[in-house]
Amino acid sequence: MNKLDWVDKRNLSMLADFYEFTMANGYLENKVSHKIAYFDMFFRNIPDDGGFAIMAGVEQLIEYLKNLRFSDEDIEYFRSKNIFNEKFLDYLRNFNFTCDVWAVPEGTPIFPGEPIVIVRGPVIQAQLVETMILLTVNHQSLIATKSNRIVRAAQGRDVVEFGSRRAHSYEAAILGARAAYIGGCVGTANTIVDRDFDIPALGTMAHSWVQMFPTELDAFKAYARVYPDNCVLLVDTYNTLREGIPNAIKTFNEEVLPRGYRPKAIRIDSGDIAYLSKEARKMLDDAGFSDVGIMASSGLDEYIIRELIEQEAAIDSFGVGERLITARSEPIFGGVYKLTAIEDNGEIVPKIKISENVAKITTPGFKQVYRLFDRDTNKSIADVITLHHETIDDNKPYEIFHPLYTWKRKRVTNFYAKKLLVPIFNKGQQVYESPNIHDIKKYCEEQIDTLWQEVKRFEKPHEYIVDLSQDLWNIKDKLLKENQ
Amino acid sequence: MNKLDWVDKRNLSMLADFYEFTMANGYLENKVSHKIAYFDMFFRNIPDDGGFAIMAGVEQLIEYLKNLRFSDEDIEYFRSKNIFNEKFLDYLRNFNFTCDVWAVPEGTPIFPGEPIVIVRGPVIQAQLVETMILLTVNHQSLIATKSNRIVRAAQGRDVVEFGSRRAHSYEAAILGARAAYIGGCVGTANTIVDRDFDIPALGTMAHSWVQMFPTELDAFKAYARVYPDNCVLLVDTYNTLREGIPNAIKTFNEEVLPRGYRPKAIRIDSGDIAYLSKEARKMLDDAGFSDVGIMASSGLDEYIIRELIEQEAAIDSFGVGERLITARSEPIFGGVYKLTAIEDNGEIVPKIKISENVAKITTPGFKQVYRLFDRDTNKSIADVITLHHETIDDNKPYEIFHPLYTWKRKRVTNFYAKKLLVPIFNKGQQVYESPNIHDIKKYCEEQIDTLWQEVKRFEKPHEYIVDLSQDLWNIKDKLLKENQ
């Protein structure tokens, strides 16, 4: 049960935009392919106008980079295009990944403008991996971020990922469930995710179960006899209050209790869930089942869950499907991959991309990100993007300043600084082992605890501070002026 | 180059909601697992309030159903859960798919409420395949439908799918590009899709290419020397009008023409595309390059493309990325899978699911869908959902009526009727060969041509008629009354 078996078997090296290959071929033809280039992956906007996003996908990124290779069939495919040089095809045939890669560990809160992945290496290689790096990290960060919003809205109630059937194909279901777990869901409905990622698969019954038996009561009893120790009944196939719940109570009394178990829960999947759950609660309590939970599903997301809780819906756990697995309210995580520097005779030359859209101007140079934490409260104070070799000495005060309104300055004291980017490949060799998924989930929760409530607000959250170091700011300012 | 190699290698039989297995085990324990059940896949709402959706994903659905099997590791996984009977695990070990399956061919316009996939077989099997059927068809139908909206908005201009990096993981990119092609895109940026599905991969250069050379002009010339016969230059890395386009023109004159080629196009990826494209057009025309195209990309969708065209933007082709591959404006295609009948002593007993949401009430029975076409215009008049054995005799008039406002009746004459659902599996044996992707795309275009303009409108389209036959309506009405 090698959990990444399915990634290994299916080599995704060809999952790259075609221009990665035409550029690679062009770099080789122009004798610049060996030049050392630096690329940053970063994103510009937090989905749903949230206060932070969550990094995810590093484990799959590592698997991809470890397995980069091109088969004879791939070479033949390129040859058939009649635009690639044989020398380039040879290069692909003998492809050997030699880049350095840094990434922010999964589960870390991340903010716009910060590099979250950095690749350094021959431009021919560093360019080729663009599509898969973006695809992998964009998708899982999107879902982890969304999942965490929903989990926070549920205020301690369990949230289970239920969305496979509406996912954007197979890995959107599988890796989406993985990311949802990192973001705080307690489990998934998807069996393969349990088998391959050790994330608990949970499930009850579909309406079809109820329809397969002569009556709803027959169906409930049949289920309870097979699963008396884990009896969750779906009560809305016909009429929730008039039939579903009374039949569930009857089943609990006649089939579950006599077998020495307590029933687990009922599930409501349609109708007005606030009203139905409150009525159901009363009926269950009156029947002596105040320990039996009520699970709600059907079109839920963080907005609806917040309202349901405001309306005192009597719901103990939520099954969240399509709006989680597609991140419906904002299904795009807009990470980009930009050249930030090249090496010339061993010297790092920062590069910038200017744009008529100010928001699309890149920050040049080879970087690191430091997060400053308050020593007393352990709360995150600010992130500072620095040049890679800079260190922030947390034994003395450190002045941060707004990169645009540079007169806005703040002297930070009594803090400790942590580097966010860690090496994952060194000269093409993997130097980082992904933590297990449960540890990632736990780490994510801990790291989110370091954020102030104001950053976690759903509406107009406080904008977390992400500044540039003075040295990095100077380089950017100089390049901007030169390119005017 | 077996294009479905990657599906075969990775068995997706375990990609199923856990409850499919607990129910299957429960059916076996309750001795109803052999009962013949009928399930319909259908959807309730057309994304983006459009007038129709497009069926897609059948080829992948067939591959999945053909390869259904459970490995020793899967059995071991289930055994470790301590809730499954050994008899059930034996059943899975020797799993043999014996269902009948019907589906609407890919590329067909489809409408809410119609069965688009029907599965008939032992309930233990017909239930198990729910998640993958929904997942596969929901995703590709979503993207094919979105792609077609964008392609129609472009009014004959080429649309290329550019979205891999923002897709919801790997198959969302790969199968999304496939579905986008069915919906009308002329190609994709994704190499693996070209290799595996014979869909043309197209591409130019990234901003990083331009940044890798000392100047933009150097970068353009370097590119043109390698690809003089297919020279498309990205002109917005620094300043589009002041530098990018003049440098492109200089490159065309100095590197492309002398080699005996005409340049292909320029690409604009930022800034105000309407304005920039019009200025670019003038500059290119004045320089003698009126045959050189202008490609636009960056955050496009059908809404923006319509406006750009209204504003007379001088754009010849569109690269559409994240908003296509995620179907951003509505990323959910809400297909569901519902039990509609069971067999009892060889007799079909229709089943209904009642709901307090009227829209969630199902239509019972084993069905077929007929589409009625006008003999003179070949336009689609209406769809009629019938019982499976019913035939519509198109040699005589046929009366259709609204299933809710039953007094609204219409006598259709001079029509021919076509069955939409075709058999794809017969007793577990595949009986349908997917057409090649180019034929599916062509078929899709032809079928959309049978729809009236009113149905294709973007805003408040005409609601296409989908009625029930009298016999089917009678069955539904009877079950509704019985369940009151």
Side-chain angles (χ1 to χ4, degrees), chain A residues 125-390:
Chain A
Q125 293 181 26
Q127 180 77 65
L128 267 185
V129 296
E130 174 181 29
T131 309
M132 273 292 287
I133 289 179
L134 291 176
L135 172 49
T136 302
V137 176
N138 276 335
H139 169 240
Q140 288 200 50
S141 299
L142 175 73
I143 304 302
T145 304
K146 182 68 173 182
S147 160
N148 187 258
R149 289 175 63 83
I150 295 169
V151 167
R152 283 185 289 127
Q155 299 182 31
R157 293 163 189 83
D158 281 351
V159 176
V160 183
E161 184 282 308
F162 263 22
S164 294
R165 60 191 59 191
R166 304 282 159 76
H168 289 184
S169 211
Y170 316 128
E171 277 116 1
I174 299 169
L175 298 177
R178 178 185 185 273
Y181 186 71
I182 292 174
C185 282
V186 298
T188 173
N190 190 332
T191 312
I192 201 170
V193 177
D194 189 358
R195 188 195 65 178
D196 295 352
F197 291 95
D198 192 32
I199 293 169
L202 308 162
T204 58
M205 62 174 66
H207 297 113
S208 50
W209 175 276
V210 177
Q211 294 172 283
M212 274 305 293
F213 292 84
T215 69
E216 189 180 55
L217 185 62
D218 293 331
F220 285 178
K221 290 189 158 195
Y223 190 86
R225 281 193 293 265
V226 183
Y227 304 110
D229 54 334
N230 188 22
C231 189
V232 182
L233 299 174
L234 177 64
V235 296
D236 71 335
T237 303
Y238 302 113
N239 186 307
T240 304
L241 298 180
R242 217 168 56 200
E243 299 169 32
I245 296 168
N247 282 334
I249 289 169
K250 201 168 161 62
T251 302
F252 293 158
N253 280 318
E254 296 179 8
E255 302 289 349
V256 179
L257 300 188
R259 286 180 170 77
Y261 296 101
R262 295 294 300 170
K264 274 273 174 65
I266 60 161
R267 178 160 77 98
I268 305 173
D269 187 50
S270 61
D272 191 289
I273 289 169
Y275 171 72
L276 292 175
S277 67
K278 284 188 261 191
E279 292 299 309
R281 184 73 273 156
K282 274 184 247 163
M283 293 164 80
L284 288 169
D285 288 353
D286 291 348
F289 294 112
S290 51
D291 58 331
V292 170
I294 299 177
M295 176 171 218
S297 50
S298 185
L300 301 176
D301 63 13
E302 69 270 43
Y303 304 102
I304 298 166
I305 288 176
R306 281 172 66 200
E307 278 217 70
L308 286 172
I309 291 177
E310 268 168 35
Q311 298 190 320
E312 300 179 326
I315 300 168
D316 304 288
S317 65
F318 296 96
V320 182
E322 58 193 27
R323 292 183 182 209
L324 165 55
I325 208 69
T326 68
R328 181 179 187 246
S329 51
E330 178 48 276
I332 296 168
F333 194 89
V336 295
Y337 187 77
K338 295 292 176 188
L339 183 80
T340 59
I342 59 173
E343 283 183 20
D344 208 5
N345 294 320
E347 201 192 330
I348 299 176
V349 183
K351 291 278 180 175
I352 197 165
K353 186 209 165 296
I354 306 289
S355 173
E356 279 140 86
N357 279 357
V358 176
K360 282 198 169 185
I361 293 173
T362 61
T363 299
F366 176 36
K367 312 186 196 69
Q368 178 55 276
V369 183
Y370 283 89
R371 182 156 296 165
L372 313 186
F373 297 89
D374 187 289
R375 276 190 195 278
D376 294 334
T377 62
N378 282 318
K379 292 290 181 196
S380 303
I381 302 165
D383 287 2
V384 183
I385 309 174
T386 66
L387 288 167
H388 197 79
H389 67 267
E390 282 188 75

Side-chain angles (χ1 to χ4, degrees), chain B residues 68-118:
Chain B
L68 259 174
R69 61 179 178 274
F70 298 91
S71 69
D72 291 343
E73 284 175 354
D74 298 336
I75 307 298
E76 208 36 64
Y77 161 81
F78 285 119
R79 185 174 289 121
S80 75
K81 295 285 158 185
N82 291 319
I83 56 171
F84 296 100
N85 193 308
E86 279 299 320
K87 206 175 130 196
F88 175 65
L89 299 185
D90 271 349
Y91 179 82
L92 286 186
R93 189 179 294 111
N94 302 311
F95 191 87
N96 179 26
F97 185 64
T98 60
C99 293
D100 302 321
V101 183
W102 294 259
V104 173
E106 295 192 85
T108 308
I110 49 176
F111 300 92
E114 301 176 342
I116 54 179
V117 178
I118 294 178

Side-chain angles (χ1 to χ4, degrees), chain B residues 14-309:
Chain B
M14 293 288 279
L15 206 180
D17 286 336
F18 196 70
Y19 79 4
E20 317 288 12
F21 294 104
T22 50
M23 284 193 285
N25 180 61
Y27 288 140
L28 200 70
E29 292 258 320
N30 280 283
K31 301 192 174 28
V32 295
S33 61
H34 61 284
K35 280 211 179 189
I36 299 297
Y38 293 78
F39 284 87
D40 281 4
M41 175 180 179
F42 64 95
F43 69 107
R44 298 189 181 106
N45 298 299
I46 301 167
D48 293 310
D49 298 320
F52 64 97
I54 294 171
M55 181 72 176
V58 177
E59 185 175 11
Q60 283 65 42
L61 179 56
I62 291 172
E63 286 304 310
Y64 159 70
L65 293 172
K66 262 169 60 177
N67 287 293
L68 259 174
R69 61 179 178 274
F70 298 91
S71 69
D72 291 343
E73 284 175 354
D74 298 336
I75 307 298
E76 208 36 64
Y77 161 81
F78 285 119
R79 185 174 289 121
S80 75
K81 295 285 158 185
N82 291 319
I83 56 171
F84 296 100
N85 193 308
E86 279 299 320
K87 206 175 130 196
F88 175 65
L89 299 185
D90 271 349
Y91 179 82
L92 286 186
R93 189 179 294 111
N94 302 311
F95 191 87
N96 179 26
F97 185 64
T98 60
C99 293
D100 302 321
V101 183
W102 294 259
V104 173
E106 295 192 85
T108 308
I110 49 176
F111 300 92
E114 301 176 342
I116 54 179
V117 178
I118 294 178
V119 178
R120 172 197 177 278
V123 65
I124 191 169
Q125 294 182 25
Q127 181 76 65
L128 268 185
V129 296
E130 174 181 30
T131 309
M132 273 292 287
I133 289 179
L134 290 176
L135 174 49
T136 302
V137 174
N138 276 335
H139 170 240
Q140 289 201 50
S141 299
L142 175 73
I143 304 301
T145 303
K146 182 69 172 181
S147 160
N148 187 258
R149 288 175 62 84
I150 295 170
V151 166
R152 283 184 288 126
Q155 299 181 31
R157 294 162 189 82
D158 280 351
V159 176
V160 184
E161 184 281 308
F162 263 22
S164 294
R165 60 190 60 190
R166 303 284 161 75
H168 290 185
S169 210
Y170 317 127
E171 277 116 3
I174 298 169
L175 297 177
R178 177 186 186 272
Y181 186 70
I182 292 175
C185 283
V186 299
T188 173
N190 190 334
T191 312
I192 202 170
V193 178
D194 188 358
R195 187 195 66 178
D196 295 351
F197 290 96
D198 192 31
I199 293 169
L202 308 162
T204 58
M205 63 173 66
H207 297 113
S208 49
W209 175 275
V210 177
Q211 294 172 282
M212 275 304 294
F213 293 84
T215 68
E216 187 180 56
L217 185 62
D218 291 333
F220 284 178
K221 287 188 159 195
Y223 191 86
R225 282 194 294 265
V226 183
Y227 303 111
D229 53 335
N230 188 22
C231 191
V232 182
L233 299 174
L234 176 63
V235 295
D236 71 336
T237 303
Y238 302 112
N239 186 308
T240 304
L241 297 180
R242 216 168 57 200
E243 299 168 31
I245 295 167
N247 283 333
I249 289 170
K250 202 168 159 64
T251 301
F252 293 158
N253 280 318
E254 295 179 9
E255 302 289 349
V256 179
L257 300 188
R259 287 180 168 75
Y261 295 102
R262 294 296 299 171
K264 274 273 175 65
I266 60 163
R267 178 161 77 98
I268 306 173
D269 187 48
S270 61
D272 191 289
I273 288 170
Y275 171 72
L276 291 174
S277 68
K278 283 187 260 191
E279 293 299 309
R281 184 73 273 155
K282 274 185 246 161
M283 293 164 80
L284 288 169
D285 288 353
D286 290 349
F289 294 111
S290 53
D291 58 332
V292 170
I294 298 176
M295 177 171 217
S297 50
S298 184
L300 302 175
D301 63 14
E302 69 270 42
Y303 304 102
I304 299 167
I305 289 175
R306 282 171 67 200
E307 277 217 70
L308 286 171
I309 291 177

